[in-house]
Amino acid sequence: MKTTCFSLAAAGLALMVAGVALGQEPPNPKIDYKGFQALTKELEPIREQHRVSEDEFIRLAKEPGVLVLDARTLDKYEQIHVKGAKHLAFTDFTDEALAKVIPAKNTKILIYCNNNFDGEPQNFRSKAVRVSLNVQTFINLHAYGYTNVYELGPLLDVKTTKIPFEGKSVK
């Protein structure tokens, strides 16, 4: 009996390893890479239409009900962030956490990331271009049902941008 159980377990493991070797992901109902790829492709033209200039970002941020979201780590946010921005670290995105910061799914949300700002390397550390926080934040907010998201497009110098900042390191 033990030999049969062991043989079945070994056979199951061998089949699972073979599936991985053939390019199939091990089954996990909480991970959907193909769904992520499809969502990314679907959002590509929307994201391009929702990237805004410095002036447009400033104008939109002044509109009633608009929320500026900073998804960097809390320590970086506390040092410097766009004036009036709300904080929720990207790693903390869940339905519940997002609902506390952004209760209405139709809220107009402005996002920015490290890769939008130069001149403050300690608190706006550049990320690899292909995985900048803007891209991930935009896609994830949409995945959670927030579809009115706008992204700051240009690379700006912290010392010369018209966007106001606040935080511990701001003089």
Side-chain angles (χ1 to χ4, degrees):
M1 188 76 154
K2 287 183 181 178
T3 305
T4 306
C5 289
F6 178 76
S7 297
L8 289 175
L13 180 60
L15 287 173
M16 187 170 71
V17 170
V20 172
L22 295 174
Q24 298 173 352
E25 288 190 42
N28 184 335
K30 291 188 175 189
I31 299 172
D32 182 5
Y33 186 71
K34 291 198 183 300
F36 176 79
Q37 286 179 308
L39 180 61
T40 300
K41 188 72 173 157
E42 175 187 324
L43 291 176
E44 185 176 2
I46 296 166
R47 180 177 167 266
E48 281 306 311
Q49 294 170 0
H50 284 224
R51 296 185 75 223
V52 297
S53 68
E54 176 184 28
D55 289 335
E56 184 70 357
F57 187 91
I58 293 167
R59 186 188 72 71
L60 290 171
K62 293 177 183 176
E63 288 182 0
V66 171
L67 185 136
V68 178
L69 180 67
D70 188 317
R72 298 174 303 138
T73 61
L74 181 60
D75 63 317
K76 300 303 180 208
Y77 170 83
E78 287 176 341
Q79 289 300 313
I80 185 171
H81 57 270
V82 169
K83 189 172 185 176
K86 302 293 181 196
H87 177 261
L88 180 61
F90 178 79
T91 55
D92 292 333
F93 279 20
T94 62
D95 282 318
E96 297 79 19
L98 284 162
K100 285 180 184 175
V101 177
I102 317 165
K105 298 270 183 165
N106 64 345
T107 299
K108 187 177 285 183
I109 304 166
L110 301 178
I111 62 171
Y112 64 92
C113 80
N114 292 328
N115 288 23
N116 285 121
F117 298 106
D118 265 342
E120 182 72 33
Q122 191 64 24
N123 296 307
F124 284 116
R125 290 186 180 152
S126 291
K127 304 296 182 191
V129 175
R130 290 184 180 175
V131 292
S132 68
L133 190 56
N134 274 358
V135 174
Q136 297 171 42
T137 302
F138 188 90
I139 292 167
N140 274 261
L141 286 170
H142 275 266
Y144 280 101
Y146 297 92
T147 58
N148 201 7
V149 182
Y150 292 81
E151 173 189 335
L152 180 60
L155 175 62
L156 305 168
D157 189 305
V158 170
K159 295 168 190 71
T160 59
T161 181
K162 297 178 271 183
I163 295 174
F165 293 99
E166 59 187 0
K168 293 176 184 176
S169 71
V170 177
K171 296 172 175 79

mmCIF file of all heavy atoms in Angstrom, residues 101-124:
data_model
loop_
_atom_site.group_PDB
_atom_site.id
_atom_site.type_symbol
_atom_site.label_atom_id
_atom_site.label_comp_id
_atom_site.label_asym_id
_atom_site.label_seq_id
_atom_site.Cartn_x
_atom_site.Cartn_y
_atom_site.Cartn_z
ATOM 1 N N VAL A 101 -8.505 54.229 0.608
ATOM 2 C CA VAL A 101 -7.879 55.427 0.061
ATOM 3 C C VAL A 101 -8.714 56.022 -1.064
ATOM 4 O O VAL A 101 -8.810 57.244 -1.200
ATOM 5 C CB VAL A 101 -6.447 55.101 -0.441
ATOM 6 C CG1 VAL A 101 -5.792 56.308 -1.081
ATOM 7 C CG2 VAL A 101 -5.588 54.592 0.710
ATOM 8 N N ILE A 102 -9.336 55.158 -1.863
ATOM 9 C CA ILE A 102 -10.112 55.595 -3.035
ATOM 10 C C ILE A 102 -11.472 54.890 -2.996
ATOM 11 O O ILE A 102 -11.671 53.863 -3.660
ATOM 12 C CB ILE A 102 -9.392 55.237 -4.358
ATOM 13 C CG1 ILE A 102 -7.892 55.530 -4.285
ATOM 14 C CG2 ILE A 102 -10.038 55.981 -5.533
ATOM 15 C CD1 ILE A 102 -7.079 54.894 -5.388
ATOM 16 N N PRO A 103 -12.426 55.402 -2.223
ATOM 17 C CA PRO A 103 -13.702 54.694 -2.053
ATOM 18 C C PRO A 103 -14.523 54.508 -3.335
ATOM 19 O O PRO A 103 -15.165 53.491 -3.508
ATOM 20 C CB PRO A 103 -14.465 55.538 -1.046
ATOM 21 C CG PRO A 103 -13.477 56.465 -0.448
ATOM 22 C CD PRO A 103 -12.334 56.588 -1.397
ATOM 23 N N ALA A 104 -14.490 55.480 -4.234
ATOM 24 C CA ALA A 104 -15.308 55.400 -5.450
ATOM 25 C C ALA A 104 -14.456 54.943 -6.633
ATOM 26 O O ALA A 104 -13.419 55.533 -6.929
ATOM 27 C CB ALA A 104 -15.947 56.744 -5.750
ATOM 28 N N LYS A 105 -14.907 53.910 -7.302
ATOM 29 C CA LYS A 105 -14.157 53.347 -8.433
ATOM 30 C C LYS A 105 -14.043 54.323 -9.606
ATOM 31 O O LYS A 105 -13.138 54.209 -10.417
ATOM 32 C CB LYS A 105 -14.811 52.049 -8.921
ATOM 33 C CG LYS A 105 -14.848 50.948 -7.892
ATOM 34 C CD LYS A 105 -13.645 50.085 -7.948
ATOM 35 C CE LYS A 105 -13.786 48.953 -6.938
ATOM 36 N NZ LYS A 105 -12.863 47.897 -7.142
ATOM 37 N N ASN A 106 -14.964 55.302 -9.694
ATOM 38 C CA ASN A 106 -14.913 56.253 -10.805
ATOM 39 C C ASN A 106 -14.114 57.515 -10.478
ATOM 40 O O ASN A 106 -14.092 58.454 -11.260
ATOM 41 C CB ASN A 106 -16.324 56.611 -11.262
ATOM 42 C CG ASN A 106 -17.106 57.340 -10.185
ATOM 43 O OD1 ASN A 106 -16.727 57.350 -9.015
ATOM 44 N ND2 ASN A 106 -18.214 57.939 -10.578
ATOM 45 N N THR A 107 -13.443 57.539 -9.329
ATOM 46 C CA THR A 107 -12.608 58.680 -8.953
ATOM 47 C C THR A 107 -11.532 58.911 -10.010
ATOM 48 O O THR A 107 -10.905 57.962 -10.481
ATOM 49 C CB THR A 107 -11.924 58.420 -7.590
ATOM 50 O OG1 THR A 107 -12.935 58.241 -6.605
ATOM 51 C CG2 THR A 107 -11.005 59.552 -7.188
ATOM 52 N N LYS A 108 -11.329 60.176 -10.359
ATOM 53 C CA LYS A 108 -10.217 60.492 -11.255
ATOM 54 C C LYS A 108 -8.950 60.426 -10.414
ATOM 55 O O LYS A 108 -8.823 61.102 -9.393
ATOM 56 C CB LYS A 108 -10.378 61.874 -11.879
ATOM 57 C CG LYS A 108 -9.326 62.164 -12.949
ATOM 58 C CD LYS A 108 -9.536 63.512 -13.611
ATOM 59 C CE LYS A 108 -10.708 63.422 -14.561
ATOM 60 N NZ LYS A 108 -10.925 64.685 -15.296
ATOM 61 N N ILE A 109 -7.991 59.590 -10.858
ATOM 62 C CA ILE A 109 -6.762 59.337 -10.117
ATOM 63 C C ILE A 109 -5.575 59.756 -10.981
ATOM 64 O O ILE A 109 -5.476 59.367 -12.140
ATOM 65 C CB ILE A 109 -6.627 57.840 -9.767
ATOM 66 C CG1 ILE A 109 -7.849 57.363 -8.984
ATOM 67 C CG2 ILE A 109 -5.338 57.578 -8.994
ATOM 68 C CD1 ILE A 109 -7.969 55.850 -8.898
ATOM 69 N N LEU A 110 -4.679 60.537 -10.385
ATOM 70 C CA LEU A 110 -3.436 60.921 -11.044
ATOM 71 C C LEU A 110 -2.306 60.141 -10.389
ATOM 72 O O LEU A 110 -2.223 60.085 -9.162
ATOM 73 C CB LEU A 110 -3.167 62.414 -10.877
ATOM 74 C CG LEU A 110 -4.219 63.374 -11.405
ATOM 75 C CD1 LEU A 110 -3.807 64.815 -11.119
ATOM 76 C CD2 LEU A 110 -4.438 63.174 -12.891
ATOM 77 N N ILE A 111 -1.457 59.541 -11.202
ATOM 78 C CA ILE A 111 -0.327 58.785 -10.663
ATOM 79 C C ILE A 111 0.990 59.331 -11.205
ATOM 80 O O ILE A 111 1.038 59.932 -12.270
ATOM 81 C CB ILE A 111 -0.436 57.269 -10.956
ATOM 82 C CG1 ILE A 111 -0.437 56.986 -12.460
ATOM 83 C CG2 ILE A 111 -1.667 56.676 -10.279
ATOM 84 C CD1 ILE A 111 -0.327 55.514 -12.824
ATOM 85 N N TYR A 112 2.031 59.105 -10.425
ATOM 86 C CA TYR A 112 3.399 59.439 -10.815
ATOM 87 C C TYR A 112 4.305 58.426 -10.139
ATOM 88 O O TYR A 112 3.859 57.679 -9.265
ATOM 89 C CB TYR A 112 3.765 60.867 -10.406
ATOM 90 C CG TYR A 112 3.767 61.105 -8.914
ATOM 91 C CD1 TYR A 112 4.932 60.955 -8.166
ATOM 92 C CD2 TYR A 112 2.605 61.478 -8.249
ATOM 93 C CE1 TYR A 112 4.938 61.168 -6.793
ATOM 94 C CE2 TYR A 112 2.601 61.700 -6.879
ATOM 95 C CZ TYR A 112 3.767 61.548 -6.161
ATOM 96 O OH TYR A 112 3.768 61.755 -4.794
ATOM 97 N N CYS A 113 5.585 58.410 -10.545
ATOM 98 C CA CYS A 113 6.509 57.466 -9.916
ATOM 99 C C CYS A 113 7.919 58.012 -9.900
ATOM 100 O O CYS A 113 8.172 59.132 -10.350
ATOM 101 C CB CYS A 113 6.461 56.103 -10.614
ATOM 102 S SG CYS A 113 7.412 55.992 -12.148
ATOM 103 N N ASN A 114 8.824 57.209 -9.402
ATOM 104 C CA ASN A 114 10.236 57.583 -9.346
ATOM 105 C C ASN A 114 10.761 58.026 -10.703
ATOM 106 O O ASN A 114 11.576 58.936 -10.787
ATOM 107 C CB ASN A 114 11.081 56.389 -8.874
ATOM 108 C CG ASN A 114 10.825 56.042 -7.440
ATOM 109 O OD1 ASN A 114 10.536 56.898 -6.619
ATOM 110 N ND2 ASN A 114 10.942 54.771 -7.117
ATOM 111 N N ASN A 115 10.334 57.366 -11.766
ATOM 112 C CA ASN A 115 10.864 57.635 -13.091
ATOM 113 C C ASN A 115 10.314 58.911 -13.716
ATOM 114 O O ASN A 115 10.655 59.231 -14.847
ATOM 115 C CB ASN A 115 10.624 56.438 -14.014
ATOM 116 C CG ASN A 115 11.513 55.274 -13.657
ATOM 117 O OD1 ASN A 115 11.993 55.158 -12.537
ATOM 118 N ND2 ASN A 115 11.742 54.384 -14.598
ATOM 119 N N ASN A 116 9.495 59.653 -12.984
ATOM 120 C CA ASN A 116 9.033 60.954 -13.466
ATOM 121 C C ASN A 116 9.929 62.095 -13.000
ATOM 122 O O ASN A 116 9.784 63.218 -13.488
ATOM 123 C CB ASN A 116 7.603 61.252 -12.997
ATOM 124 C CG ASN A 116 6.565 60.482 -13.753
ATOM 125 O OD1 ASN A 116 5.803 59.719 -13.165
ATOM 126 N ND2 ASN A 116 6.517 60.657 -15.065
ATOM 127 N N PHE A 117 10.815 61.831 -12.037
ATOM 128 C CA PHE A 117 11.568 62.937 -11.447
ATOM 129 C C PHE A 117 13.063 62.655 -11.367
ATOM 130 O O PHE A 117 13.489 61.596 -10.943
ATOM 131 C CB PHE A 117 11.020 63.254 -10.050
ATOM 132 C CG PHE A 117 9.587 63.690 -10.075
ATOM 133 C CD1 PHE A 117 8.583 62.834 -9.639
ATOM 134 C CD2 PHE A 117 9.227 64.934 -10.565
ATOM 135 C CE1 PHE A 117 7.249 63.221 -9.681
ATOM 136 C CE2 PHE A 117 7.897 65.329 -10.616
ATOM 137 C CZ PHE A 117 6.898 64.475 -10.168
ATOM 138 N N ASP A 118 13.840 63.657 -11.787
ATOM 139 C CA ASP A 118 15.296 63.670 -11.652
ATOM 140 C C ASP A 118 15.670 64.687 -10.585
ATOM 141 O O ASP A 118 14.860 65.552 -10.235
ATOM 142 C CB ASP A 118 15.951 64.094 -12.976
ATOM 143 C CG ASP A 118 16.368 62.927 -13.842
ATOM 144 O OD1 ASP A 118 16.471 61.799 -13.324
ATOM 145 O OD2 ASP A 118 16.599 63.157 -15.041
ATOM 146 N N GLY A 119 16.895 64.610 -10.109
ATOM 147 C CA GLY A 119 17.404 65.611 -9.195
ATOM 148 C C GLY A 119 17.159 65.310 -7.726
ATOM 149 O O GLY A 119 17.470 66.136 -6.872
ATOM 150 N N GLU A 120 16.585 64.166 -7.437
ATOM 151 C CA GLU A 120 16.327 63.748 -6.048
ATOM 152 C C GLU A 120 16.571 62.236 -5.985
ATOM 153 O O GLU A 120 15.656 61.448 -5.748
ATOM 154 C CB GLU A 120 14.881 64.091 -5.679
ATOM 155 C CG GLU A 120 14.473 63.755 -4.269
ATOM 156 C CD GLU A 120 15.059 64.646 -3.194
ATOM 157 O OE1 GLU A 120 15.270 65.848 -3.448
ATOM 158 O OE2 GLU A 120 15.310 64.139 -2.094
ATOM 159 N N PRO A 121 17.839 61.827 -6.225
ATOM 160 C CA PRO A 121 18.130 60.395 -6.364
ATOM 161 C C PRO A 121 17.876 59.567 -5.103
ATOM 162 O O PRO A 121 17.630 58.371 -5.198
ATOM 163 C CB PRO A 121 19.607 60.360 -6.753
ATOM 164 C CG PRO A 121 20.161 61.665 -6.284
ATOM 165 C CD PRO A 121 19.036 62.652 -6.362
ATOM 166 N N GLN A 122 17.918 60.187 -3.954
ATOM 167 C CA GLN A 122 17.689 59.443 -2.719
ATOM 168 C C GLN A 122 16.220 59.034 -2.573
ATOM 169 O O GLN A 122 15.917 57.930 -2.158
ATOM 170 C CB GLN A 122 18.124 60.282 -1.509
ATOM 171 C CG GLN A 122 18.164 59.509 -0.218
ATOM 172 C CD GLN A 122 19.203 58.389 -0.235
ATOM 173 O OE1 GLN A 122 20.177 58.418 -0.971
ATOM 174 N NE2 GLN A 122 18.988 57.381 0.581
ATOM 175 N N ASN A 123 15.310 59.925 -2.940
ATOM 176 C CA ASN A 123 13.885 59.676 -2.705
ATOM 177 C C ASN A 123 13.089 59.364 -3.966
ATOM 178 O O ASN A 123 11.966 58.883 -3.874
ATOM 179 C CB ASN A 123 13.273 60.864 -1.968
ATOM 180 C CG ASN A 123 13.885 61.031 -0.599
ATOM 181 O OD1 ASN A 123 13.911 60.090 0.185
ATOM 182 N ND2 ASN A 123 14.419 62.207 -0.317
ATOM 183 N N PHE A 124 13.641 59.665 -5.132
ATOM 184 C CA PHE A 124 13.025 59.286 -6.403
ATOM 185 C C PHE A 124 14.045 58.448 -7.173
ATOM 186 O O PHE A 124 14.552 58.858 -8.212
ATOM 187 C CB PHE A 124 12.608 60.514 -7.220
ATOM 188 C CG PHE A 124 11.364 61.194 -6.746
ATOM 189 C CD1 PHE A 124 11.415 62.493 -6.257
ATOM 190 C CD2 PHE A 124 10.133 60.554 -6.786
ATOM 191 C CE1 PHE A 124 10.260 63.139 -5.824
ATOM 192 C CE2 PHE A 124 8.978 61.195 -6.360
ATOM 193 C CZ PHE A 124 9.046 62.489 -5.870
#
